[in-house]
Amino acid sequence: GLSDVNNDGIDDLIIGDIQTYVYAGQNGTGFVVYGQKGGLPNINLYQMTTAQGFGVIGDSDLGGCGWSVSRAG
């Protein structure tokens, strides 16, 4: 778990994708998905609204962004 990033009293989720291709490189992305009462609906991580969460794209090819998220929270 990630804890509660947006301070709404519901735990949030972090997801790593090491194979996000950006600018012709394999940059990787870390996604934070805001928890919701009753569970999460199906969400396309690459089309999330700011109400659903956000992604952080790595700044370099093979830089490892999104690789190790298991220890967060």
Side-chain angles (χ1 to χ4, degrees):
L2 181 62
S3 194
D4 185 14
V5 174
N6 60 344
N7 295 317
D8 65 356
I10 303 170
D11 284 345
D12 302 318
L13 177 69
I14 187 167
I15 300 168
D17 177 4
I18 62 168
Q19 296 185 356
T20 304
Y21 289 91
V22 180
Y23 311 119
Q26 190 173 338
N27 298 57
T29 303
F31 296 95
V32 174
V33 180
Y34 299 139
Q36 298 179 18
K37 289 184 181 183
L40 294 172
N42 289 335
I43 295 175
N44 181 327
L45 297 174
Y46 297 96
Q47 296 178 353
M48 275 193 301
T49 67
T50 55
Q52 294 173 310
F54 61 92
V56 177
I57 299 171
D59 64 353
S60 63
D61 185 27
L62 301 174
C65 185
W67 184 263
S68 183
V69 297
S70 63
R71 300 249 182 229

